[in-house]
Amino acid sequence: MLNNQRISLNAQQQSLAIQQLGDAMNDLNRGAREIADGLGPTQEAIQKLNEVRMELNSIV
């Protein structure tokens, strides 16, 4: 009977570990989406700064 209990406990632990892994992967995906969403505005800001730099260079 003790062997069956160990097997059952191991199965429960593995199930929990798989669930936690899935949660961690979802968190990583969410973070990656947030980073990707922020890239567009960042690129726009860089472009605007570059335009201002070129204007300032033409003045100097």
Side-chain angles (χ1 to χ4, degrees):
M1 188 64 168
L2 187 59
N3 231 9
N4 288 341
Q5 290 174 338
R6 286 183 183 163
I7 291 170
S8 177
L9 179 60
N10 284 340
Q12 290 173 0
Q13 290 172 337
Q14 287 176 357
S15 177
L16 179 60
I18 290 169
Q19 181 181 5
Q20 291 173 338
L21 180 60
D23 291 344
M25 290 175 66
N26 287 335
D27 290 343
L28 286 171
N29 284 336
R30 189 176 308 112
R33 278 194 306 271
E34 290 174 4
I35 290 170
D37 290 344
L39 289 178
T42 300
Q43 288 176 328
E44 291 173 13
I46 290 170
Q47 180 62 35
K48 288 179 183 177
L49 286 172
N50 193 35
E51 291 170 4
V52 169
R53 178 193 60 84
M54 291 182 345
E55 288 178 25
L56 289 174
N57 280 343
S58 70
I59 294 172
V60 176

